[in-house]
Amino acid sequence: MFSDNKKDKHDMDNTSGKNSIAQGTKIVGDFNSEGDFRIDGIIEGNIKTAGKVFVGKDGFVKGTIQGTDAYFEGKFSGKLSLSGTLTLKSSAFIEGEVVVGKLAVEPGATFNVTCAMKGTVKPMTNGEPARKKPEAEKTA
Protein backbone atom coordinates (compact mmCIF):
# COMPACT_ATOMS: atom_id res chain seq x y z
CA MET A 1 0.00 0.00 0.00
CA PHE A 2 2.72 2.52 0.94
CA SER A 3 5.39 1.05 -1.35
CA ASP A 4 3.73 2.40 -4.51
CA ASN A 5 3.81 5.97 -3.21
CA LYS A 6 7.41 5.67 -2.05
CA LYS A 7 8.45 4.16 -5.37
CA ASP A 8 6.91 7.04 -7.35
CA LYS A 9 8.57 9.62 -5.11
CA HIS A 10 11.92 7.79 -5.34
CA ASP A 11 11.75 7.66 -9.17
CA MET A 12 11.07 11.40 -9.33
CA ASP A 13 14.01 12.10 -7.02
CA ASN A 14 16.33 10.11 -9.29
CA THR A 15 15.49 12.19 -12.35
CA SER A 16 15.25 15.67 -10.87
CA GLY A 17 18.40 17.74 -11.26
CA LYS A 18 20.03 15.28 -13.69
CA ASN A 19 20.51 16.00 -17.37
CA SER A 20 21.20 13.33 -19.96
CA ILE A 21 22.35 13.69 -23.56
CA ALA A 22 21.68 10.34 -25.25
CA GLN A 23 23.89 8.54 -27.75
CA GLY A 24 23.11 9.70 -31.29
CA THR A 25 22.26 13.23 -30.10
CA LYS A 26 24.35 16.26 -31.10
CA ILE A 27 23.81 19.60 -29.40
CA VAL A 28 25.56 22.87 -30.24
CA GLY A 29 25.29 25.61 -27.63
CA ASP A 30 26.01 26.73 -24.08
CA PHE A 31 24.48 25.15 -20.96
CA ASN A 32 24.12 26.28 -17.36
CA SER A 33 22.76 23.87 -14.76
CA GLU A 34 22.65 23.23 -11.04
CA GLY A 35 22.31 19.48 -11.61
CA ASP A 36 24.51 16.68 -12.87
CA PHE A 37 25.17 15.92 -16.56
CA ARG A 38 25.50 12.55 -18.25
CA ILE A 39 26.73 12.83 -21.83
CA ASP A 40 26.60 9.87 -24.19
CA GLY A 41 26.13 12.02 -27.30
CA ILE A 42 28.04 15.00 -28.69
CA ILE A 43 28.12 18.52 -27.26
CA GLU A 44 29.87 21.44 -28.94
CA GLY A 45 29.77 24.39 -26.59
CA ASN A 46 30.23 25.44 -23.00
CA ILE A 47 28.91 23.64 -19.93
CA LYS A 48 28.76 25.33 -16.53
CA THR A 49 27.34 23.28 -13.68
CA ALA A 50 27.40 23.04 -9.91
CA GLY A 51 26.90 19.30 -10.36
CA LYS A 52 29.05 16.49 -11.68
CA VAL A 53 29.73 15.70 -15.34
CA PHE A 54 29.88 12.10 -16.58
CA VAL A 55 30.97 11.45 -20.17
CA GLY A 56 30.24 7.90 -21.31
CA LYS A 57 32.36 5.85 -23.76
CA ASP A 58 30.49 7.22 -26.78
CA GLY A 59 30.30 10.77 -25.40
CA PHE A 60 32.28 13.69 -26.81
CA VAL A 61 32.49 17.28 -25.57
CA LYS A 62 34.21 20.00 -27.59
CA GLY A 63 34.34 23.32 -25.74
CA THR A 64 34.62 24.20 -22.07
CA ILE A 65 33.40 22.57 -18.89
CA GLN A 66 33.26 24.40 -15.55
CA GLY A 67 32.13 22.36 -12.58
CA THR A 68 33.00 20.43 -9.46
CA ASP A 69 33.81 16.85 -10.50
CA ALA A 70 34.04 15.06 -13.85
CA TYR A 71 34.25 11.38 -14.77
CA PHE A 72 35.39 10.54 -18.32
CA GLU A 73 35.13 7.33 -20.28
CA GLY A 74 34.73 9.23 -23.55
CA LYS A 75 36.40 12.17 -25.29
CA PHE A 76 36.98 15.83 -24.49
CA SER A 77 38.68 18.61 -26.40
CA GLY A 78 38.92 22.13 -24.98
CA LYS A 79 39.23 23.78 -21.58
CA LEU A 80 38.25 21.90 -18.45
CA SER A 81 38.07 23.70 -15.09
CA LEU A 82 37.05 21.73 -12.00
CA SER A 83 37.16 22.59 -8.32
CA GLY A 84 37.06 18.90 -7.39
CA THR A 85 38.30 15.68 -8.96
CA LEU A 86 38.84 14.73 -12.60
CA THR A 87 38.62 10.94 -13.02
CA LEU A 88 39.81 9.38 -16.28
CA LYS A 89 38.98 5.76 -17.07
CA SER A 90 41.23 3.76 -19.42
CA SER A 91 39.05 4.58 -22.46
CA ALA A 92 39.19 8.37 -21.89
CA PHE A 93 40.78 10.73 -24.43
CA ILE A 94 41.38 14.28 -23.15
CA GLU A 95 43.16 17.10 -24.97
CA GLY A 96 43.41 20.81 -24.27
CA GLU A 97 43.78 22.78 -21.07
CA VAL A 98 42.92 21.38 -17.64
CA VAL A 99 42.70 23.01 -14.20
CA VAL A 100 41.62 20.64 -11.42
CA GLY A 101 41.74 20.15 -7.67
CA LYS A 102 42.58 16.42 -7.87
CA LEU A 103 43.40 14.03 -10.70
CA ALA A 104 42.83 10.27 -10.99
CA VAL A 105 44.03 8.56 -14.19
CA GLU A 106 43.70 4.87 -15.05
CA PRO A 107 46.44 3.29 -17.17
CA GLY A 108 45.52 3.48 -20.86
CA ALA A 109 43.82 6.88 -20.72
CA THR A 110 45.06 9.52 -23.17
CA PHE A 111 45.80 12.83 -21.41
CA ASN A 112 47.37 15.35 -23.84
CA VAL A 113 46.92 18.61 -21.96
CA THR A 114 48.51 21.47 -20.14
CA CYS A 115 47.48 20.83 -16.56
CA ALA A 116 47.40 22.88 -13.37
CA MET A 117 46.28 21.55 -10.02
CA LYS A 118 44.61 24.04 -7.74
CA GLY A 119 44.44 22.43 -4.35
CA THR A 120 46.04 22.69 -0.99
CA VAL A 121 49.62 23.79 -1.48
CA LYS A 122 52.07 21.78 0.60
CA PRO A 123 55.30 23.70 1.28
CA MET A 124 58.51 21.84 0.39
CA THR A 125 61.94 22.05 2.05
CA ASN A 126 64.94 20.39 0.36
CA GLY A 127 62.66 18.25 -1.79
CA GLU A 128 60.65 16.91 1.16
CA PRO A 129 57.34 18.08 2.59
CA ALA A 130 57.74 20.54 5.46
CA ARG A 131 57.33 18.94 8.87
CA LYS A 132 55.14 20.42 11.48
CA LYS A 133 57.14 22.11 14.25
CA PRO A 134 56.43 20.75 17.73
CA GLU A 135 54.49 23.16 19.85
CA ALA A 136 56.14 24.60 22.95
CA GLU A 137 54.99 23.10 26.19
CA LYS A 138 52.55 25.20 28.10
CA THR A 139 52.75 25.47 31.84
CA ALA A 140 50.29 26.85 34.30
Side-chain angles (χ1 to χ4, degrees):
M1 155 168 104
F2 296 119
S3 63
D4 289 336
N5 290 339
K6 289 181 182 179
K7 184 179 178 190
D8 290 343
K9 184 177 188 285
H10 182 67
D11 287 345
M12 287 176 26
D13 288 344
N14 281 341
T15 58
S16 67
K18 294 184 181 179
N19 304 286
S20 182
I21 309 301
Q23 184 177 1
T25 303
K26 179 179 179 178
I27 298 177
V28 178
D30 298 341
F31 300 92
N32 291 320
S33 174
E34 293 296 317
D36 298 345
F37 268 95
R38 177 173 176 101
I39 302 163
D40 290 303
I42 299 170
I43 292 184
E44 291 181 11
N46 305 311
I47 299 170
K48 185 174 183 179
T49 180
K52 297 175 184 175
V53 177
F54 178 88
V55 179
K57 283 186 179 181
D58 297 316
F60 176 63
V61 178
K62 183 176 182 179
T64 64
I65 296 177
Q66 268 188 300
T68 54
D69 298 309
Y71 180 95
F72 277 88
E73 290 181 347
K75 298 179 180 178
F76 176 80
S77 179
K79 185 174 182 178
L80 182 60
S81 181
L82 302 172
S83 59
T85 303
L86 171 60
T87 303
L88 304 179
K89 301 307 278 181
S90 61
S91 59
F93 179 91
I94 309 295
E95 65 181 7
E97 196 176 321
V98 174
V99 177
V100 295
K102 294 180 184 176
L103 179 64
V105 182
E106 275 189 6
T110 303
F111 192 58
N112 295 325
V113 301
T114 57
C115 183
M117 294 185 72
K118 305 287 184 184
T120 305
V121 177
K122 296 178 182 175
M124 303 283 281
T125 56
N126 297 331
E128 294 185 21
R131 293 201 173 110
K132 201 175 190 181
K133 292 181 181 176
E135 292 183 29
E137 275 189 41
K138 294 181 183 176
T139 57

